[in-house]
Amino acid sequence: MVTMARTDDNRDLPIANDGQLTTPLGIGSGYINPKQAVDPRFIYDVDVSDYITFPCSLNYTVEQMKLYVATPYPYSGNVGSSGDLTYPLFSVVYKPDNNFRKLIRTITYVRKMLSKVYRVTIDIPKTEKVTIKVEPRTLTFKRFGEKQKYKVKFEIIFIAENITNLDEEMVFRSIYWVSDKQVIRSPIAIM
C-alpha cells in the first residue's frame, strides 16, 4: 500500500493539516489509494529474519530481543543499519564519519501478465546535499513470482552540525518505478 499512496489529497492539492501545508514528516507515505493497492504489481520481500535483525540494528539487548523471539537470537547488538530492512521506503541516517550508504531491495512480481518493464525515475534533490543512484535503471519481469534486486546508492555532500531545525536539514525524495500503465513510488528520508 505504501508504494501506491498519493502525496496529494482527493482534490489533487498538496496534503495539508488544519489548512496548513504539511512537511514530508507529516505526510508519511501519503494517502492510501485502495484501487491501486489491490493490484500492486510487485511487492517488497521481507521475512522473519528482517524483523529480527531490525531491532538488533537498533542495539537491542538479548533481554529486549527475548520479547520478540522465544530464544536469544544470535544477532543481538549492532548488525547493520535500520535502513537495511527490506521495505518500500528508505530511511538514510548519516554520521559524520560516513557519507556513503548503499541499500538493496528485493522485490517479487505478483502479476500474472507476462513481461512488464519498469524504468526508474529519481526525484532529484533541489539542494546539493545528496546524490542518489539506482542500479539497475530498468527491471524487466517475465513471469509471476519472479524476484529481482536493485541497489540504491546515497552519497551525502553536506553533513549539518548543531542542527536546530531537523525539517530544514532533512532531504525528502522518492524513487519511482514507471511502467506503461503504473507508477510505483518508494519514499526516501535522508538525515
Side-chain angles (χ1 to χ4, degrees):
M1 288 201 259
V2 169
T3 60
M4 300 297 154
R6 296 172 43 154
T7 56
D8 53 1
D9 65 17
N10 59 357
R11 299 167 298 164
D12 292 327
L13 298 172
I15 294 174
N17 184 9
D18 291 329
Q20 300 291 318
L21 289 181
T22 189
T23 68
L25 289 174
I27 293 172
S29 293
Y31 286 129
I32 299 300
N33 184 337
K35 289 181 182 179
Q36 292 285 327
V38 296
D39 188 14
R41 306 305 203 265
F42 59 74
I43 57 172
Y44 284 76
D45 287 13
V46 64
D47 63 25
V48 173
S49 67
D50 287 309
Y51 287 111
I52 292 171
T53 57
F54 177 74
C56 289
S57 73
L58 301 173
N59 294 319
Y60 278 37
T61 65
V62 171
E63 290 303 311
Q64 290 170 315
M65 289 304 297
K66 286 180 183 178
L67 297 172
Y68 296 98
V69 292
T71 58
Y73 202 75
Y75 295 129
S76 62
N78 193 355
V79 295
S81 165
S82 58
D84 294 331
L85 178 67
T86 298
Y87 200 65
L89 48 89
F90 296 88
S91 174
V92 183
V93 179
Y94 284 99
K95 296 179 180 167
D97 60 341
N98 186 0
N99 67 339
F100 182 79
R101 295 275 304 155
K102 177 175 76 171
L103 299 176
I104 299 171
R105 296 295 189 260
T106 303
I107 52 179
T108 301
Y109 190 59
V110 293
R111 296 274 333 256
K112 296 208 176 190
M113 296 177 67
L114 295 177
S115 195
K116 186 59 89 173
V117 176
Y118 290 89
R119 289 176 177 42
V120 73
T121 301
I122 305 168
D123 190 5
I124 302 297
K126 293 179 183 175
T127 67
E128 297 298 323
K129 291 182 180 181
V130 66
T131 60
I132 303 168
K133 295 180 182 173
V134 178
E135 296 173 355
R137 308 248 338 134
T138 302
L139 297 173
T140 303
F141 294 96
K142 296 181 180 171
R143 67 184 186 290
F144 178 85
E146 181 177 353
K147 294 181 183 292
Q148 292 197 30
K149 290 184 180 191
Y150 70 93
K151 299 175 197 166
V152 184
K153 296 177 183 178
F154 302 91
E155 185 174 9
I156 190 111
I157 313 297
F158 167 82
I159 296 178
E161 294 181 23
N162 302 321
I163 296 174
T164 56
N165 187 344
L166 186 60
D167 277 359
E168 291 178 7
E169 297 301 329
M170 293 181 74
V171 175
F172 298 97
R173 297 293 169 245
S174 295
I175 295 169
Y176 299 93
W177 289 100
V178 182
S179 72
D180 57 343
K181 295 189 179 194
Q182 189 177 41
V183 175
I184 298 172
R185 176 178 160 263
S186 288
I188 301 169
I190 302 169
M191 53 190 121

